[in-house]
Amino acid sequence: MFGFEKLDVWQKSVDLADEVYRFTRDFPDYEKFGLANQMRRAAVSVSSNIAEGSGRESKKDFSRFLQIAYGSVMEVVSQLHIAQRQEFIPKEDARKLYQDCEEIARMISGLKRSLGV
């Protein structure tokens, strides 16, 4: 097992990507290569950057990748607002994804602080 796989924040970010994929399956066909694709890429980017950063040689490098992961969470939140306004995703589902994003953002911030850089 790789070190990043033990991180709760990585595990939760993989769960977030799963949820985003699940919810975007029901988007209209004309959005499959638009908003749905953007949301998926941003969601996948969160766990990918945590994983990649954990493999870097310095805490400073890891911190930078955590910053990118945090930015990807913010992208998902922004895209979630658009998806909800366009009625592509029910309010309850949007609220759940939003709460997941809040939790992951807090966890990333905490992990970044713990690196002390």
Side-chain angles (χ1 to χ4, degrees), residues 4-111:
F4 68 85
E5 292 175 295
K6 298 174 188 173
L7 295 172
D8 289 340
V9 67
W10 179 81
Q11 294 170 11
K12 288 189 182 293
S13 63
V14 170
D15 292 343
L16 174 69
D18 282 343
E19 290 294 302
V20 167
Y21 266 81
R22 188 167 63 83
F23 290 129
T24 57
R25 274 189 205 115
D26 295 332
F27 278 25
D29 287 340
Y30 61 87
E31 279 300 329
K32 296 293 182 193
F33 298 104
L35 185 59
N37 186 48
Q38 284 186 289
M39 286 183 76
R40 289 174 173 186
R41 289 171 54 114
V44 167
S45 177
V46 180
S47 63
S48 297
N49 277 291
I50 293 168
E52 185 173 354
S54 74
R56 296 297 170 142
E57 293 187 18
S58 73
K59 289 181 179 180
K60 184 176 180 181
D61 282 344
F62 189 15
S63 179
R64 174 70 181 124
F65 278 89
L66 290 175
Q67 189 174 352
I68 294 167
Y70 186 90
S72 294
V73 173
M74 297 302 109
E75 283 185 67
V76 173
V77 169
S78 179
Q79 294 156 357
L80 184 57
H81 282 285
I82 295 165
Q84 207 279 312
R85 285 181 176 200
Q86 292 298 311
E87 299 179 350
F88 296 156
I89 186 169
K91 282 187 180 188
E92 279 184 30
D93 295 336
R95 187 174 13 259
K96 166 73 169 93
L97 282 176
Y98 188 90
Q99 290 169 345
D100 292 344
C101 286
E102 283 182 316
E103 181 179 16
I104 291 167
R106 281 192 302 272
M107 293 173 82
I108 290 171
S109 294
L111 180 55

